[in-house]
Amino acid sequence: MIYKKYIRSCPLISIETSAAFEPVATKAYRALEHMIVTLELAPASFVTEGALIERLGFGRTPVREAIQRLAWEGLLDVRPRAGIAVAPLHPGDWLRVLDARRGVEVVLARSAARFVTREAADLFHEAALAMQKAVISGNVLAFIQADKQLDEALAIAADNPFAARVAAPLQTHSRRFWFRYKADTGLAESAEHHVALIRSILDGDEEAAARDAKKLMALLRGHAEVAATR
């Protein structure tokens, strides 16, 4: 593996190990986000805070914080006296999400190639391995989790919290659309594009990373255009 000479030395911490030290509110957020992305909470459906507390198994405060965060990201809509509405899925909105996401993904890819650390490289390797295993087994839920891991590794490697905060909700919305409209046939092709991006980042090649990010966004946009015609 090629690392740039200025890469900082830091301990290798796995995603699973890091997750063990997450605040309860973050764990509640991850669990609730996953339920929304995988349509366990159906688009345009209503749910109550009490029902979510029971399903998630966390206390009221962390669940409420998770709800507020997901509402800010546009995945939930808290309606007083009516409950909590799960965001609907309109196929044409996937195109809007990707139009907004494309530029920031290129920024993150370039920065990640420039600043990737050993810690981030380890996270990229874990995400790529998880993604490849998911493709071999045909496990769509595992692939979704690996894609989330990759996005988090990208955010860490890029060392640009401003861009990462813009990208995160767009990535979640896009992942939800992909699960709804392409999960049945898109595993191998999507994994190939993601792994190419990882390779360019770990090689420290900013131009290649930018190109691969654009190719990945183009692939997703092609899927979105097909979904929009259904």
Side-chain angles (χ1 to χ4, degrees):
M1 184 56 59
I2 301 173
Y3 294 102
K4 301 184 80 171
K5 63 182 179 181
Y6 50 76
I7 284 180
R8 299 185 295 274
S9 176
C10 58
L12 298 182
I13 304 174
S14 72
I15 293 171
E16 291 79 4
T17 301
S18 299
F21 297 97
E22 286 179 339
V24 177
T26 302
K27 293 180 180 179
Y29 167 81
R30 285 181 180 276
L32 184 51
E33 181 200 55
H34 184 73
M35 290 169 64
I36 295 170
V37 167
T38 59
L39 311 184
E40 185 177 342
L41 290 177
S45 65
F46 280 83
V47 67
T48 65
E49 182 182 279
L52 290 178
I53 291 171
E54 183 176 349
R55 292 177 70 170
L56 293 170
F58 295 106
R60 182 175 301 276
T61 297
V63 171
R64 184 167 291 174
E65 290 181 15
I67 291 170
Q68 292 172 344
R69 181 175 170 184
L70 288 160
W72 179 85
E73 293 178 352
L75 290 158
L76 295 176
D77 182 13
V78 180
R79 301 179 183 180
R81 297 180 297 279
I84 302 166
V86 181
L89 270 179
H90 302 301
D93 285 342
W94 194 5
L95 291 169
R96 297 182 178 92
V97 168
L98 292 171
D99 285 345
R101 183 182 172 192
R102 182 178 183 274
V104 72
E105 289 289 344
V106 173
V107 169
L108 288 172
R110 284 184 178 276
S111 296
R114 188 183 314 133
F115 298 121
V116 63
T117 63
R118 293 184 184 276
E119 176 191 5
D122 191 51
L123 297 180
F124 276 123
H125 281 300
E126 288 188 25
L129 181 60
M131 191 168 284
Q132 290 168 342
K133 287 181 177 179
V135 171
I136 292 172
S137 63
N139 190 329
V140 175
L141 293 179
F143 187 89
I144 285 288
Q145 292 175 329
D147 187 61
K148 174 73 171 178
Q149 292 175 358
L150 174 55
D151 288 339
E152 292 175 345
L154 185 62
I156 292 170
D159 194 27
N160 186 334
F162 303 99
R165 286 170 186 158
V166 171
L170 295 171
Q171 291 164 341
T172 301
H173 280 282
S174 183
R175 194 175 295 115
R176 184 173 180 239
F177 278 107
W178 183 89
F179 185 85
R180 167 62 180 85
Y181 294 107
K182 194 59 182 177
D184 56 340
T185 59
L187 286 185
E189 186 178 31
S190 181
E192 180 181 350
H193 280 69
H194 281 88
V195 171
L197 174 60
I198 291 172
R199 187 180 301 115
S200 295
I201 290 172
L202 296 182
D203 284 344
D205 190 332
E206 294 182 43
E207 294 302 320
R211 286 195 301 270
D212 287 329
K214 291 176 183 177
K215 288 178 181 178
L216 177 57
M217 292 301 102
L219 173 70
L220 293 175
R221 202 176 200 289
H223 298 332
E225 288 171 349
V226 172
T229 63
R230 294 179 179 176

